[in-house]
Amino acid sequence: GNDSAGDETEASGGNVHTLAISGSTSVGPLAEKLAEKYEGNNNTKIEINQIGSSAGITNAINGVSEIGMSSRELKDEEKESLQETVIAYDGIVVVTHPSNKVKNLTMDQVKDIFTGKITNWKDLGGDDLEIVVVSREDGSGSRDAFQEIVGYSSGELIKSAIVASGNGNIKTTVATNKHAVGFISFEYIDESVSPVNINGVEATAENVLSQKYVLSRPFLFVHVEDNLTNEGQKFIDYILSPEGQAIAAESGAIPVQ
Amino acid sequence: MNTTVIDRKTATDKSANTTEQQTKIAVKDLNLFYGEKQALFDVSIDIKEKEVTALIGPSGCGKSTFLRTLNRMNDLIDGVKINGKMVIDGEDIYQSNDVIKLRTKVGMVFQKPNLFPMSIYDNVAYGPRMQGIKNKAELNKIVEESLRGAAIWDEVKDRLKSSALGLSGGQQQRVCIARAIAMKPEVILMDEPTSALDPISTLKVEELIASMKKEYTIVIVTHNMQQAARVSDKTAFFLNGEIIEFDETNKIFSMPSDQRTEDYVTGRFG
Amino acid sequence: MNTTVIDRKTATDKSANTTEQQTKIAVKDLNLFYGEKQALFDVSIDIKEKEVTALIGPSGCGKSTFLRTLNRMNDLIDGVKINGKMVIDGEDIYQSNDVIKLRTKVGMVFQKPNLFPMSIYDNVAYGPRMQGIKNKAELNKIVEESLRGAAIWDEVKDRLKSSALGLSGGQQQRVCIARAIAMKPEVILMDEPTSALDPISTLKVEELIASMKKEYTIVIVTHNMQQAARVSDKTAFFLNGEIIEFDETNKIFSMPSDQRTEDYVTGRFG
Amino acid sequence: MSSIPVKKDAGEIGKANKRKYILEKVSGRVFLFCALLSVVSLLLIIGFVFYKGSHPFIAEGYSFIDFLLGSDWVPSEDKFGILPMIVASIYATIGALIIGVPIGLFTAIFLAEIAPRSVAKIISPAVQLLAGIPSVLYGVFGLAIIVPFLQNNLGLIKGQSLIAVIIVLAIMMLPTVVTVAETAIRAVPKAYREGSLALGVSPIGTIFKVVVPAAKSGIMTAIVLGMGRAIGETMAVILVAGNSLVIPTSLTDSIRPLTTNIALEMGYAFGTHQEMLFATGIVLFSFILILNFVLARISSKGGN
Amino acid sequence: MRKLKDKILLGLLWFAAFLTVAVLVMIVGYIFYKGIGLISFDFIFGDYSPSGGGGILPMIVTTIYTIVISLLIATPIGILAAVYLQEYAKQGRLVNTIRFATESLTGIPSIIYGLFGAVFFVTTLKLGMSIIAASLTLTIIVLPVIIRTTEESLKTVPRTYREGSLALGTTKLQTLYKVILPSAMPGILSGLILSMGRIIGESAAIFLTAGTVAAMPASIFSSARTLTVHSFLVTQEAGDIELAAAVGVVLIVLILILNLTATFISKKLNKANY
Ligand SMILES: Nc1ncnc2c1ncn2[C@@H]1O[C@H](COP(=O)(O)OP(=O)(O)OP(=O)(O)O)[C@@H](O)[C@H]1O
Ligand SMILES: Nc1ncnc2c1ncn2[C@@H]1O[C@H](COP(=O)(O)OP(=O)(O)OP(=O)(O)O)[C@@H](O)[C@H]1O
Ligand SMILES: [Mg+2]
Ligand SMILES: [Mg+2]
């Protein structure tokens, strides 16, 4: 499969090949940065569309895009037609309002908060404030990963939880509400929110790599075997190369070993 | 019906002899500009109470414009400037701020019928309702009286609730008159109120004007010289925005003092 | 000018004696319904070429409705049903599909002036332009002739390029006449064309009608009995959607054969 | 007299006009084509939504009643109940209409009838400007200003609430309502105003009793289009609604309207979950149909 | 009584207008306050860089592309469809149904249009994720707005204009473009301005059909990112409100320029008719 696609490109000589990638809005920014560096050195134009994991996977399946980006695990029926490559990991961190005194939680406490068993910060050593839970939307890769690791299901999530779409919206919501707790990717942490340690372990890339910090999820590139061109393969290779992984680390993701 | 006509004739003759009627509207040196263009030049006229004053003159001479200054309808047109004095019942209407009072007192019937897109009943009841009359029976009475007064009752009594815009031009104009009457104003301004009417309706309206004279002061613009002669006590002849002559109707039509008036009124025919 | 008037009188007298004029429009058993409501009942009439036919009758009797069937303007109103025969120049206009030809041939002036929101010049040049005349000089000529013909040229010649809607009612109506004349039609329908005009303009328009008669067939609705008597050769009296009587104008006004006609025309005054 | 001679060739159309009639016919067809094109594209969309959305109920054995009346929405556990969202949508839309329509109409009336020309000339385009500001920015504005404001002043633990949604939607429908209504009011013939004023009716009375009723049809369009904007809006609502899956019982509860449910999860949904989101779209569409129907009824009632 | 009522109503009118203006000032003010700091020559005219520091020129260009193409397609179709419904079709059940459906479709969330566009234009018609696919989707979104507002303004043209013109033996078509459409122009224009707003403000329908490629589009068949999609992405993922607001500032200026142009064009058109 690769060959025929490769022939096509070679036949067209030095023409610029356009590599269409679409999918997850979480993977997108990282992919854009990688593409920017890569395009500088290679005769390839990379088009990245951040339209959501499912849309990207669909595009990859029906050939609209060569590569799909996903921040969620593939479902079984999707796995039948798609190849997946983990290009990096994304650490997930629990965040609160900067004024919140609670800086450490156990995994069980996190679960109790998100399932509504603990409803006041004073039970966790904080001020007497009701807890407002902020979650991502059902189906989101972050949420899937977070729930799986923490150990509760979507059905158990407290009903009154605010559901925000995207890391940015969780961050903004938590940053403007003293009661709030949510979870976001490492790369979006800044001083507007306060990160919480889990079981006393700080949320850092090193701790994820050393497997002391367990809240993380994979960033996936997926493609249909026959649709991937040489250029596509080369870009994936580049990402997995030390240079590519360095860029990933720089932009807040956790490199694959 | 005929008696009314006779009554009117006598009344006209009487007023021709006696001039003791009080001044209702006194206009002095009125100038009106549409933007740059002057449409009225130093108009001065005294309109007497309970008389019919006719305004005649060729098209475009400013009759409608002058009529509309009497209830300040020209205020609505952008760029209209007015100076001079216009006193109604001793009150300078361009000094007072109460246009509503003015317009309740000075009713108007326009050149083109301008009924609202409502039922006939609602059109006539509109004014009284806005004055706060809610009682159904009272409204019904006002509507019927006004429509009868405008000689249109028989034609519309079965379709009071249907849209007024489905009426013919003549019918519409008469409902407009009814709408004005319904407000029981003191002065009624009419801008060619019968120009869209057939002779029979015209006759009815003229009789109406004659009978209304007992209570109201009426100013009427007309192109119909015969009509002016028939219905009015005084006539003012306008030309190019000026009043050329203003006098007893008899006098204007029989021995006008200005050559231009004579030229105009003898240009009549029929 | 006066000669025209005399000419006209002679012409009228002549046509009263001689009936050899050809039929231009033949109407047979025409019925018209506005939805459920019948407005015209079995109307039959022969309109002769190069004559003026007046339609008279009380308000709401169907004069305008009938006039509008002659150039199929009623087609525009939803729910209008027409049956019967209407033949112009040997052609049944309700069989033919060429309304454009019909309306080019049969011009119309409406009851209320309906100028377009364009300049005076563009209003008059509108029809000719739509027929494909582009030549400036030719258009100028048509516009000037038409405006002169409608006795309005002198009043507007300096403001041809300004909006037609700034004119007074009377001025607007005369521009409407000019607009119709500009198309050089064969038949001209006029729905109370002078109801908004002063006597001088009315006289001019009546003279115009008289002089136009040499070339055009004219059908005119009027409320003014004198006008009907002055300008028309034949007169049709409508009542409740029926033609009660149709005859020489002289006859209608001097010795009508129907009592209702007599009642109506003797209701006149002046 | 009884038989009128009719020429044989009478039916023929003159040469000169033939082209005009052909043009007339062609243009009529073109107009019809355009109307059909719009109708077809609209039908395509409706068909698309219904095709996708009815699949689970027809082919996969889900119960439509459970879908409508269920109050649990956990796609990952195959639970699809949208009752809380239906209730939320109804509350939010009605609330936005109650606030947005009067303010919008009154503003339109103000601009068309009361404001001096020079003022209206500045405000009207400025209001139209509001129509072009992306809804995301309304959402950001809502999240950064309205939500904290509500939270602080109403003593709430979270400002993401029904009332926040209502306020944001009311603001978002303003430009549409104001612009369309203003145009309609300006188009009312001057003769109506004159007729009323000449009866000694105050300018305000004239406006409300004659001008506004005369502009009724345009005003209804303004309301319907504004409502469309309110119902169809997603991006701003996502940010201020809180999107909680509860049946709202007070103005301060977080809500998840039907639209945000679709927009929120479509990015990650697949299979039945995605089809259920389309089914949500069907419900939304029916909801809009009912509302429009009610509005049309109201407006024709007012017509008599 | 009446006077008091009048006073209250007048007060309400002022209050409503004040509220509207206040909201306007607050929103525009907020956007400027947050965003103006980022505005610079490079920000507007520089090329985009994902690693930061780049400008938004590609998004500006894309935005203009989508506006122009969508309006080029939607304006004639919408106006002519409205003309058909209002002037040609027999008023009755069918037309009312079409009208009703059109109105109802204004309420469909744009994400559904987006999904439809993704299936129909992008995949079925094989246009790929592209500006043209997005523009076609937007065309469908704004059609109801254009049709309804045009119909309304056609309704306000007095019947006497139609009669006056037709009585001169002109065709419906001539009457339409010489008399009716020019008189209806102001209303049609405000509908177009609203549509333009809708196009500019749209995000969901665009990112599913045009994608989010942050590069200068090579042609209308390229995938690209509009300003609004850009501000949507930076809010949603990065929570970068300053950047979103800065994009908002650019959008507001762009809308201003476009509205002024539209008004100018309509004035020119009106002059041409005098
Ligand atoms: N709104 C306006 N703006 C500018 N000029 C106007 C306006 N209204 C009227 N005029 C001009 O003012 C003059 C007087 O007009 P007016 O309507 O008072 O005449 P009129 O005597 O009532 O005529 P008619 O008998 O034809 O109704 C005319 O020359 C007219 O063109
Ligand atoms: N569009 C319409 N729909 C329903 N009825 C109508 C319509 N137009 C006119 N009519 C009715 O048809 C009858 C004849 O009207 P038409 O306008 O022909 O009268 P007319 O003789 O011209 O009266 P006028 O002298 O007042 O102009 C009237 O009763 C009128 O109410
Ligand atoms: Mg006048
Ligand atoms: Mg008539």
Side-chain angles (χ1 to χ4, degrees):
Chain A
N2 278 1
D3 288 6
S4 65
D7 287 346
E8 218 174 86
T9 326
E10 262 141 50
S12 53
N15 272 5
V16 177
H17 176 75
T18 302
L19 178 56
I21 301 177
S22 68
S24 164
T25 47
S26 315
V27 187
L30 169 61
E32 276 188 355
K33 281 171 200 154
L34 289 162
E36 188 187 26
K37 294 276 154 49
Y38 180 74
E39 276 176 329
N41 310 328
N42 291 274
N43 204 15
T44 303
K45 193 169 170 301
I46 302 177
E47 274 191 356
I48 293 170
N49 283 311
Q50 309 173 25
I51 54 177
S53 297
S54 290
I57 292 167
T58 311
N59 278 352
I61 292 173
N62 63 26
V64 174
S65 299
E66 190 172 326
I67 297 173
M69 305 178 285
S70 174
S71 61
R72 66 162 168 81
E73 304 280 0
L74 292 185
K75 311 287 164 181
D76 290 339
E77 57 269 42
E78 291 166 351
K79 277 186 182 148
E80 280 167 21
S81 46
L82 289 174
Q83 305 278 322
E84 59 174 66
T85 314
V86 177
I87 61 158
Y89 288 96
D90 180 33
I92 301 172
V93 60
V94 174
V95 290
T96 61
H97 192 262
S99 72
N100 199 320
K101 291 205 214 83
V102 178
K103 299 293 179 201
N104 184 36
L105 292 169
T106 66
M107 198 59 104
D108 286 339
Q109 284 172 329
V110 173
K111 180 177 169 183
D112 288 347
I113 291 172
F114 277 84
T115 53
K117 291 202 187 73
I118 301 176
T119 55
N120 198 306
W121 285 111
K122 76 174 180 226
D123 298 337
L124 299 161
D127 296 332
D128 182 9
L129 290 173
E130 237 182 281
I131 297 176
V132 169
V133 172
V134 185
S135 172
R136 287 289 301 276
E137 59 275 31
D138 207 344
S140 122
S142 309
R143 171 159 159 179
D144 276 0
F146 184 80
Q147 289 182 173
E148 200 175 315
I149 299 163
V150 173
Y152 68 98
S153 71
S154 280
E156 290 171 278
L157 174 70
I158 178 172
K159 278 266 177 341
S160 64
I162 290 180
V163 178
S165 62
N167 285 297
N169 290 338
I170 292 203
K171 190 170 78 174
T172 315
T173 305
V174 173
T176 54
N177 191 336
K178 293 198 295 280
H179 304 258
V181 58
F183 54 88
I184 62 176
S185 294
F186 278 15
E187 56 180 308
Y188 297 113
I189 298 175
D190 60 25
E191 67 285 354
S192 70
V193 289
S194 153
V196 175
N197 298 344
I198 303 294
N199 295 337
V201 182
E202 206 184 331
T204 61
E206 296 78 55
N207 286 338
V208 173
L209 284 175
S210 63
Q211 297 191 336
K212 281 189 217 151
Y213 188 88
V214 290
L215 285 174
S216 73
R217 59 164 172 168
F219 277 170
L220 298 179
F221 266 25
V222 301
H223 63 267
V224 173
E225 179 83 60
D226 292 345
N227 288 352
L228 192 69
T229 60
N230 275 344
E231 279 70 18
Q233 187 61 52
K234 272 193 214 153
F235 182 51
I236 294 177
D237 293 345
Y238 169 79
I239 296 174
L240 297 174
S241 73
E243 194 190 342
Q245 291 294 304
I247 295 168
E250 224 172 87
S251 59
I254 299 150
V256 282
Q257 297 285 180
Chain B
M1 283 266 173
N2 266 335
T3 42
T4 328
V5 179
I6 292 164
D7 266 7
R8 171 159 57 94
K9 286 236 166 97
T10 356
T12 315
D13 292 341
K14 217 185 268 170
S15 76
N17 305 330
T18 58
T19 32
E20 86 280 61
Q21 292 284 26
Q22 274 212 299
T23 298
K24 183 80 178 173
I25 307 174
V27 183
K28 185 100 187 83
D29 292 335
L30 188 82
N31 287 284
L32 184 143
F33 301 80
Y34 288 117
E36 296 294 286
K37 187 173 172 259
Q38 186 159 4
L40 293 178
F41 297 81
D42 286 331
V43 170
S44 298
I45 187 171
D46 268 19
I47 293 168
K48 300 285 176 197
E49 200 162 12
K50 298 183 182 168
E51 279 190 0
V52 177
T53 305
L55 311 180
I56 62 169
S59 180
C61 66
K63 303 178 298 294
S64 297
T65 301
F66 173 70
L67 198 75
R68 292 163 57 93
T69 60
L70 294 172
N71 66 345
R72 295 185 58 175
M73 286 310 281
N74 283 326
D75 289 17
L76 306 178
I77 298 171
D78 271 346
V80 165
K81 281 192 302 276
I82 296 171
N83 60 55
K85 225 177 180 165
M86 177 165 295
V87 178
I88 299 187
D89 286 339
E91 200 176 331
D92 188 331
I93 64 164
Y94 282 93
Q95 297 303 318
S96 149
N97 286 320
D98 199 348
V99 256
I100 294 178
K101 199 178 106 200
L102 170 68
R103 292 187 188 142
T104 316
K105 191 192 265 185
V106 183
M108 181 158 193
V109 176
F110 293 80
Q111 195 161 4
K112 296 183 193 176
N114 60 351
L115 290 177
F116 307 133
M118 312 168 177
S119 72
I120 297 168
Y121 184 96
D122 288 341
N123 262 287
V124 181
Y126 176 82
R129 273 192 182 135
M130 294 306 271
Q131 287 202 316
I133 300 178
K134 294 223 172 65
N135 183 300
K136 272 233 152 177
E138 197 176 345
L139 281 176
N140 288 344
K141 193 169 148 266
I142 294 176
V143 169
E144 177 168 349
E145 273 174 6
S146 311
L147 287 169
R148 275 190 198 284
I152 180 86
W153 172 252
D154 289 334
E155 280 156 83
V156 299
K157 64 169 182 261
D158 299 326
R159 50 198 270 201
L160 289 177
K161 296 287 169 194
S162 60
S163 169
L165 303 186
L167 298 172
S168 80
Q171 293 169 325
Q172 285 195 28
Q173 186 62 302
R174 281 178 287 153
V175 177
C176 283
I177 296 176
R179 188 176 63 183
I181 296 173
M183 294 297 286
K184 308 207 166 62
E186 294 174 25
V187 180
I188 297 181
L189 311 177
M190 296 184 163
D191 196 342
E192 302 175 39
T194 62
S195 72
L197 302 195
D198 64 294
I200 291 173
S201 314
T202 302
L203 181 59
K204 286 184 190 154
V205 173
E206 287 183 10
E207 281 170 0
L208 181 72
I209 293 173
S211 70
M212 288 198 302
K213 208 174 68 172
K214 283 174 207 138
E215 288 178 74
Y216 307 120
T217 307
I218 294 166
V219 185
I220 179 170
V221 171
T222 176
H223 278 127
N224 188 324
M225 229 61 70
Q226 286 71 42
Q227 185 169 69
R230 277 195 305 273
V231 303
S232 72
D233 302 300
K234 300 264 172 63
T235 296
F237 173 57
F238 276 74
L239 194 63
N240 298 330
E242 284 181 83
I243 291 188
I244 301 300
E245 194 167 350
F246 173 52
D247 214 325
E248 303 290 331
T249 299
N250 290 345
K251 178 132 184 296
I252 292 277
F253 283 97
S254 54
M255 39 175 176
S257 47
D258 196 291
Q259 183 59 39
R260 289 165 295 180
T261 315
E262 184 162 356
D263 288 350
Y264 186 74
V265 297
T266 55
R268 76 181 193 275
F269 34 85
Chain C
M1 285 274 173
N2 264 337
T3 44
T4 328
V5 178
I6 292 164
D7 266 7
R8 172 161 51 96
K9 289 239 166 90
T10 357
T12 315
D13 294 342
K14 216 184 270 169
S15 76
N17 305 328
T18 58
T19 31
E20 86 278 67
Q21 292 285 27
Q22 274 213 298
T23 299
K24 183 80 178 173
I25 305 174
V27 182
K28 186 95 186 94
D29 292 335
L30 189 82
N31 288 284
L32 184 143
F33 301 80
Y34 287 117
E36 295 294 286
K37 189 174 171 260
Q38 186 159 5
L40 294 178
F41 296 80
D42 285 332
V43 170
S44 298
I45 187 172
D46 267 20
I47 293 167
K48 300 285 176 192
E49 198 162 14
K50 296 183 185 166
E51 279 191 359
V52 177
T53 305
L55 311 180
I56 61 169
S59 181
C61 66
K63 304 180 297 295
S64 299
T65 301
F66 174 70
L67 199 74
R68 291 162 57 93
T69 59
L70 294 171
N71 66 345
R72 296 185 58 174
M73 285 312 279
N74 283 326
D75 288 17
L76 305 178
I77 299 171
D78 270 345
V80 166
K81 280 191 303 278
I82 296 170
N83 59 53
K85 222 170 183 179
M86 177 166 292
V87 178
I88 300 186
D89 286 342
E91 199 173 331
D92 188 331
I93 64 166
Y94 282 93
Q95 295 304 318
S96 150
N97 287 319
D98 199 348
V99 255
I100 297 179
K101 198 177 108 197
L102 171 68
R103 292 188 186 141
T104 315
K105 192 193 264 186
V106 183
M108 181 157 195
V109 176
F110 293 81
Q111 193 161 5
K112 297 182 191 175
N114 60 351
L115 292 176
F116 308 133
M118 312 169 177
S119 72
I120 296 168
Y121 183 97
D122 288 341
N123 261 286
V124 181
Y126 178 83
R129 271 191 182 136
M130 287 303 183
Q131 290 205 312
I133 299 177
K134 295 226 172 63
N135 184 301
K136 272 233 154 179
E138 197 177 345
L139 281 175
N140 287 345
K141 192 168 148 267
I142 293 176
V143 170
E144 178 169 348
E145 274 174 4
S146 311
L147 287 169
R148 275 189 199 285
I152 180 88
W153 172 252
D154 288 334
E155 278 157 83
V156 300
K157 64 169 182 262
D158 300 326
R159 51 197 273 202
L160 288 178
K161 295 287 168 194
S162 59
S163 169
L165 303 186
L167 298 173
S168 79
Q171 293 169 324
Q172 284 194 30
Q173 187 61 304
R174 282 178 286 154
V175 177
C176 283
I177 296 176
R179 188 174 63 181
I181 296 174
M183 295 295 289
K184 306 205 169 65
E186 294 174 26
V187 180
I188 297 181
L189 311 177
M190 295 183 165
D191 195 342
E192 301 174 40
T194 62
S195 72
L197 302 195
D198 64 294
I200 293 174
S201 313
T202 302
L203 181 59
K204 285 184 191 154
V205 173
E206 288 185 8
E207 280 169 0
L208 182 71
I209 293 173
S211 70
M212 286 197 304
K213 207 173 69 171
K214 283 175 206 134
E215 288 176 76
Y216 306 119
T217 306
I218 294 166
V219 185
I220 180 170
V221 170
T222 177
H223 278 127
N224 187 323
M225 230 59 70
Q226 285 71 42
Q227 185 170 70
R230 277 195 305 273
V231 303
S232 71
D233 303 300
K234 299 263 172 59
T235 296
F237 172 58
F238 277 74
L239 194 64
N240 298 330
E242 285 181 82
I243 292 188
I244 301 299
E245 193 167 351
F246 172 52
D247 214 324
E248 303 291 328
T249 299
N250 290 346
K251 178 132 184 295
I252 292 277
F253 283 97
S254 52
M255 38 175 177
S257 47
D258 194 290
Q259 184 58 39
R260 289 165 296 180
T261 314
E262 183 160 359
D263 288 350
Y264 186 75
V265 297
T266 54
R268 75 183 193 275
F269 33 88
Chain D
M1 200 44 186
S2 54
S3 71
I4 303 164
V6 178
K7 281 188 218 153
K8 284 241 170 71
D9 61 340
E12 299 246 322
I13 291 171
K15 235 188 206 154
N17 292 335
K18 224 168 202 153
R19 256 191 47 207
K20 284 186 181 170
Y21 282 109
I22 292 171
L23 207 66
E24 190 79 351
K25 222 175 203 156
V26 169
S27 64
R29 292 277 154 81
V30 170
F31 298 159
L32 174 63
F33 175 75
C34 286
L36 288 181
L37 206 61
S38 350
V39 173
V40 164
S41 59
L42 304 177
L43 285 180
L44 268 177
I45 289 181
I46 299 172
F48 172 72
V49 174
F50 272 74
Y51 170 73
K52 284 262 191 180
S54 59
H55 190 255
F57 308 107
I58 294 169
E60 294 163 39
Y62 287 88
S63 149
F64 192 64
I65 300 293
D66 290 350
F67 173 69
L68 280 185
L69 300 180
S71 50
D72 280 327
W73 176 269
V74 190
S76 46
E77 291 167 15
D78 230 19
K79 288 185 193 152
F80 301 101
I82 59 165
L83 186 63
M85 307 172 202
I86 295 178
V87 176
S89 275
I90 293 175
Y91 284 172
T93 308
I94 292 177
L97 283 175
I98 288 175
I99 297 185
V101 167
I103 294 181
L105 288 187
F106 274 48
T107 304
I109 294 170
F110 178 84
L111 291 177
E113 299 283 324
I114 309 268
R117 258 200 131 67
S118 51
V119 175
K121 263 194 181 139
I122 298 170
I123 298 181
S124 302
V127 171
Q128 287 177 352
L129 182 79
L130 275 178
I133 295 179
S135 42
V136 180
L137 290 177
Y138 281 98
V140 169
F141 173 78
L143 190 57
I145 306 285
I146 296 173
V147 166
F149 177 85
L150 292 172
Q151 196 173 322
N152 296 334
N153 287 282
L154 301 179
L156 307 175
I157 58 167
K158 55 184 175 189
Q160 281 88 349
S161 57
L162 177 56
I163 181 76
V165 173
I166 289 176
I167 293 174
V168 168
L169 286 182
I171 293 176
M172 293 189 71
M173 61 193 282
L174 273 183
T176 312
V177 175
V178 173
T179 308
V180 178
E182 189 192 338
T183 317
I185 293 169
R186 280 194 193 282
V188 173
K190 214 176 66 184
Y192 291 165
R193 288 184 191 93
E194 288 190 343
S196 171
L197 290 171
L199 290 170
V201 174
S202 64
I204 299 285
T206 301
I207 290 168
F208 283 94
K209 293 292 176 183
V210 173
V211 178
V212 169
K216 197 188 69 194
S217 150
I219 287 176
M220 281 324 278
T221 305
I223 295 174
V224 168
L225 289 181
M227 191 181 73
R229 184 87 211 238
I231 298 178
E233 184 46 52
T234 45
M235 292 311 171
V237 176
I238 285 183
L239 291 175
V240 299
N243 304 311
S244 306
L245 283 162
V246 290
I247 297 180
T249 52
S250 88
L251 279 175
T252 54
D253 281 348
S254 291
I255 57 162
R256 180 187 295 199
L258 294 164
T259 44
T260 59
N261 189 47
I262 300 171
L264 201 56
E265 297 188 349
M266 202 53 105
Y268 294 100
F270 76 105
T272 309
H273 182 191
Q274 198 187 50
E275 285 162 359
M276 282 300 188
L277 293 178
F278 278 104
T280 312
I282 298 179
V283 173
L284 186 68
F285 189 67
S286 320
F287 181 48
I288 295 163
L289 283 184
I290 293 169
L291 257 176
N292 278 354
F293 194 72
V294 170
L295 277 180
R297 265 293 141 87
I298 293 175
S299 85
S300 67
K301 267 249 175 73
N304 303 324
Chain E
M1 242 290 282
R2 184 75 229 168
K3 272 205 173 135
L4 182 68
K5 218 166 157 186
D6 280 1
K7 281 223 171 92
I8 293 171
L9 282 172
L10 184 64
L12 283 177
L13 287 176
W14 276 91
F15 177 68
F18 169 79
L19 264 186
T20 305
V21 173
V23 163
L24 174 82
V25 169
M26 267 170 67
I27 290 178
V28 174
Y30 174 77
I31 292 170
F32 270 81
Y33 167 75
K34 281 280 181 188
I36 200 80
L38 283 182
I39 300 288
S40 67
F41 185 85
D42 282 343
F43 179 72
I44 295 170
F45 295 104
D47 205 352
Y48 177 74
S49 157
S51 40
I56 54 167
L57 189 61
M59 292 88 169
I60 296 180
V61 172
T62 307
T63 304
I64 292 172
Y65 265 136
T66 48
I67 296 171
V68 171
I69 299 171
S70 324
L71 282 186
L72 272 184
I73 304 170
T75 308
I77 295 181
I79 292 179
L80 297 187
V83 164
Y84 181 79
L85 292 178
Q86 192 62 37
E87 308 277 330
Y88 284 74
K90 241 201 155 77
Q91 302 301 308
R93 223 153 240 257
L94 181 69
V95 169
N96 283 338
T97 311
I98 293 176
R99 209 168 274 151
F100 190 71
T102 319
E103 272 173 3
S104 303
L105 278 157
T106 59
I108 296 273
S110 46
I111 188 142
I112 290 195
Y113 286 101
L115 287 163
F116 170 76
V119 169
F120 188 70
F121 295 120
V122 175
T123 313
T124 310
L125 296 188
K126 296 206 161 50
L127 291 171
M129 285 210 167
S130 57
I131 292 176
I132 183 74
S135 302
L136 289 170
T137 310
L138 285 167
T139 298
I140 298 180
I141 294 181
V142 296
L143 265 181
V145 181
I146 296 181
I147 292 177
R148 288 304 290 131
T149 46
T150 304
E151 267 202 86
E152 274 317 309
S153 34
L154 287 176
K155 256 191 221 162
T156 62
V157 177
R159 207 186 66 190
T160 56
Y161 287 178
R162 294 184 178 87
E163 290 188 343
S165 174
L166 289 172
L168 291 169
T170 60
T171 63
K172 251 180 153 168
L173 188 64
Q174 289 172 321
T175 305
L176 188 71
Y177 79 87
K178 275 292 178 187
V179 178
I180 299 179
L181 283 181
S183 314
M185 212 50 205
I188 294 176
L189 197 77
S190 74
L192 288 184
I193 288 177
L194 277 182
S195 312
M196 209 156 69
R198 185 89 201 240
I199 295 170
I200 293 175
E202 189 49 62
S203 48
I206 298 186
F207 75 71
L208 287 175
T209 48
T212 66
V213 171
M216 190 63 81
S219 75
I220 57 169
F221 296 100
S222 308
S223 196
R225 182 188 291 190
T226 64
L227 285 168
T228 301
V229 169
H230 190 51
S231 71
F232 167 73
L233 287 175
V234 298
T235 331
Q236 166 130 324
E237 276 311 312
D240 190 343
I241 288 172
E242 273 79 15
L243 183 51
V247 173
V249 171
V250 175
L251 273 173
I252 289 173
V253 173
L254 189 67
I255 297 166
L256 267 181
I257 294 172
L258 289 172
N259 285 7
L260 287 177
T261 316
T263 316
F264 179 76
I265 290 173
S266 99
K267 278 218 178 101
K268 268 275 145 79
L269 282 180
N270 263 346
K271 276 252 168 63
N273 273 311
Y274 256 57

